Amino acid sequence: QESASAGSSGYTFAAASTAAVVAAASSARSSASSRGAKVVRNFFGGGSTSSYASFDPATELGVQDPIGFWDPLGFSADKDEATFKRRRAVEIKHGRISMYATMGYIVPEYFKFPGYLSPSLGLKFEDVPNGLAALSKVPVLGGAQIIAFAGLIETTGFFQ
C-alpha cells in the first residue's frame, strides 16, 4: 500500500510542478504582452526594413572638420558604395601619378644618367634639356613606349 501511495505522490508532484511551470510561463507571457514589449526576429530577411545600414559617404574615412564631406559636383549623390570606392581608388592612383610626374620634373635638375638615351640617334641623357623641352628631344618610338606602358598599367590594374 505504501509503494502505491509513494508512486501516486510522485505523479502528483510531477503534475503539480508541471502545472506551476505552465502557470509561470503564461503569467510571464501575459505580463510581457501587457507591457507592450514585442520582440520580432527576422533571421532570414523577412522583415520590411533592411538589416543593412544604407551607405553614407559622409561617414567614410577622411571626412574631417571643419569642411566635412566635400562633394561640390554631387558625384556621390546616388550613394552607391561601389562607385564611391572606385572613384576613391582612382583619385589615389592619379595622386600617385602626379607625385611621380613631379619627381620626374625635379630629379633631372640634379641628376642625369650616364650613357645614351638612344644609341642609334647618338642622343645622350645629358643632351636632353630639363622640363617640357625634353619632349621635343625624345624619339618617337621612345614616346610610344611611354604611352604603351602607361596604357598597360591603366588597363590591367598592374599596381593594384
PDB file of all heavy atoms in Angstrom, residues 26-38:
ATOM      1  N   SER A  26       2.787  31.257 -18.596  1.00  0.00           N
ATOM      2  CA  SER A  26       1.645  32.016 -19.098  1.00  0.00           C
ATOM      3  C   SER A  26       1.540  33.369 -18.421  1.00  0.00           C
ATOM      4  O   SER A  26       1.161  34.361 -19.047  1.00  0.00           O
ATOM      5  CB  SER A  26       0.350  31.216 -18.948  1.00  0.00           C
ATOM      6  OG  SER A  26       0.064  31.053 -17.562  1.00  0.00           O
ATOM      7  N   SER A  27       1.891  33.456 -17.136  1.00  0.00           N
ATOM      8  CA  SER A  27       1.848  34.757 -16.470  1.00  0.00           C
ATOM      9  C   SER A  27       2.956  35.662 -16.988  1.00  0.00           C
ATOM     10  O   SER A  27       2.773  36.858 -17.134  1.00  0.00           O
ATOM     11  CB  SER A  27       1.956  34.591 -14.949  1.00  0.00           C
ATOM     12  OG  SER A  27       3.264  34.152 -14.599  1.00  0.00           O
ATOM     13  N   ALA A  28       4.122  35.076 -17.310  1.00  0.00           N
ATOM     14  CA  ALA A  28       5.202  35.876 -17.872  1.00  0.00           C
ATOM     15  C   ALA A  28       4.827  36.384 -19.252  1.00  0.00           C
ATOM     16  O   ALA A  28       5.086  37.519 -19.611  1.00  0.00           O
ATOM     17  CB  ALA A  28       6.491  35.059 -17.938  1.00  0.00           C
ATOM     18  N   ARG A  29       4.162  35.537 -20.042  1.00  0.00           N
ATOM     19  CA  ARG A  29       3.729  35.930 -21.372  1.00  0.00           C
ATOM     20  C   ARG A  29       2.665  37.016 -21.292  1.00  0.00           C
ATOM     21  O   ARG A  29       2.686  37.979 -22.045  1.00  0.00           O
ATOM     22  CB  ARG A  29       3.193  34.701 -22.124  1.00  0.00           C
ATOM     23  CG  ARG A  29       2.956  34.986 -23.593  1.00  0.00           C
ATOM     24  CD  ARG A  29       2.512  33.760 -24.363  1.00  0.00           C
ATOM     25  NE  ARG A  29       3.482  32.675 -24.217  1.00  0.00           N
ATOM     26  CZ  ARG A  29       3.158  31.407 -24.116  1.00  0.00           C
ATOM     27  NH1 ARG A  29       1.892  31.039 -24.125  1.00  0.00           N
ATOM     28  NH2 ARG A  29       4.069  30.486 -23.996  1.00  0.00           N
ATOM     29  N   SER A  30       1.737  36.872 -20.354  1.00  0.00           N
ATOM     30  CA  SER A  30       0.688  37.882 -20.233  1.00  0.00           C
ATOM     31  C   SER A  30       1.247  39.190 -19.694  1.00  0.00           C
ATOM     32  O   SER A  30       0.822  40.268 -20.103  1.00  0.00           O
ATOM     33  CB  SER A  30      -0.447  37.370 -19.333  1.00  0.00           C
ATOM     34  OG  SER A  30       0.022  37.217 -18.008  1.00  0.00           O
ATOM     35  N   SER A  31       2.250  39.133 -18.815  1.00  0.00           N
ATOM     36  CA  SER A  31       2.836  40.380 -18.313  1.00  0.00           C
ATOM     37  C   SER A  31       3.674  41.050 -19.403  1.00  0.00           C
ATOM     38  O   SER A  31       3.721  42.269 -19.490  1.00  0.00           O
ATOM     39  CB  SER A  31       3.685  40.121 -17.074  1.00  0.00           C
ATOM     40  OG  SER A  31       4.830  39.363 -17.420  1.00  0.00           O
ATOM     41  N   ALA A  32       4.316  40.246 -20.273  1.00  0.00           N
ATOM     42  CA  ALA A  32       5.081  40.829 -21.370  1.00  0.00           C
ATOM     43  C   ALA A  32       4.153  41.490 -22.370  1.00  0.00           C
ATOM     44  O   ALA A  32       4.447  42.557 -22.887  1.00  0.00           O
ATOM     45  CB  ALA A  32       5.929  39.756 -22.053  1.00  0.00           C
ATOM     46  N   SER A  33       3.020  40.867 -22.643  1.00  0.00           N
ATOM     47  CA  SER A  33       2.095  41.464 -23.593  1.00  0.00           C
ATOM     48  C   SER A  33       1.400  42.674 -22.992  1.00  0.00           C
ATOM     49  O   SER A  33       1.037  43.599 -23.695  1.00  0.00           O
ATOM     50  CB  SER A  33       1.071  40.425 -24.069  1.00  0.00           C
ATOM     51  OG  SER A  33       0.284  39.995 -22.973  1.00  0.00           O
ATOM     52  N   SER A  34       1.233  42.685 -21.696  1.00  0.00           N
ATOM     53  CA  SER A  34       0.613  43.851 -21.076  1.00  0.00           C
ATOM     54  C   SER A  34       1.579  45.028 -21.061  1.00  0.00           C
ATOM     55  O   SER A  34       1.165  46.169 -21.067  1.00  0.00           O
ATOM     56  CB  SER A  34       0.151  43.516 -19.647  1.00  0.00           C
ATOM     57  OG  SER A  34       1.281  43.258 -18.828  1.00  0.00           O
ATOM     58  N   ARG A  35       2.875  44.766 -21.068  1.00  0.00           N
ATOM     59  CA  ARG A  35       3.868  45.846 -21.125  1.00  0.00           C
ATOM     60  C   ARG A  35       4.009  46.381 -22.539  1.00  0.00           C
ATOM     61  O   ARG A  35       4.567  47.438 -22.745  1.00  0.00           O
ATOM     62  CB  ARG A  35       5.229  45.338 -20.671  1.00  0.00           C
ATOM     63  CG  ARG A  35       5.332  45.113 -19.190  1.00  0.00           C
ATOM     64  CD  ARG A  35       6.719  44.683 -18.858  1.00  0.00           C
ATOM     65  NE  ARG A  35       6.970  43.401 -19.537  1.00  0.00           N
ATOM     66  CZ  ARG A  35       7.849  42.508 -19.159  1.00  0.00           C
ATOM     67  NH1 ARG A  35       8.604  42.754 -18.130  1.00  0.00           N
ATOM     68  NH2 ARG A  35       7.993  41.387 -19.790  1.00  0.00           N
ATOM     69  N   GLY A  36       3.565  45.668 -23.519  1.00  0.00           N
ATOM     70  CA  GLY A  36       3.667  46.098 -24.902  1.00  0.00           C
ATOM     71  C   GLY A  36       5.014  45.778 -25.531  1.00  0.00           C
ATOM     72  O   GLY A  36       5.322  46.264 -26.593  1.00  0.00           O
ATOM     73  N   ALA A  37       5.833  44.988 -24.868  1.00  0.00           N
ATOM     74  CA  ALA A  37       7.144  44.634 -25.410  1.00  0.00           C
ATOM     75  C   ALA A  37       6.975  43.484 -26.388  1.00  0.00           C
ATOM     76  O   ALA A  37       6.494  42.429 -26.033  1.00  0.00           O
ATOM     77  CB  ALA A  37       8.083  44.235 -24.292  1.00  0.00           C
ATOM     78  N   LYS A  38       7.349  43.751 -27.630  1.00  0.00           N
ATOM     79  CA  LYS A  38       7.226  42.719 -28.645  1.00  0.00           C
ATOM     80  C   LYS A  38       8.585  42.568 -29.316  1.00  0.00           C
ATOM     81  O   LYS A  38       9.163  43.541 -29.781  1.00  0.00           O
ATOM     82  CB  LYS A  38       6.180  43.130 -29.681  1.00  0.00           C
ATOM     83  CG  LYS A  38       5.963  42.102 -30.749  1.00  0.00           C
ATOM     84  CD  LYS A  38       4.882  42.551 -31.708  1.00  0.00           C
ATOM     85  CE  LYS A  38       4.685  41.526 -32.786  1.00  0.00           C
ATOM     86  NZ  LYS A  38       3.743  41.960 -33.785  1.00  0.00           N
TER      87      LYS A  38
END
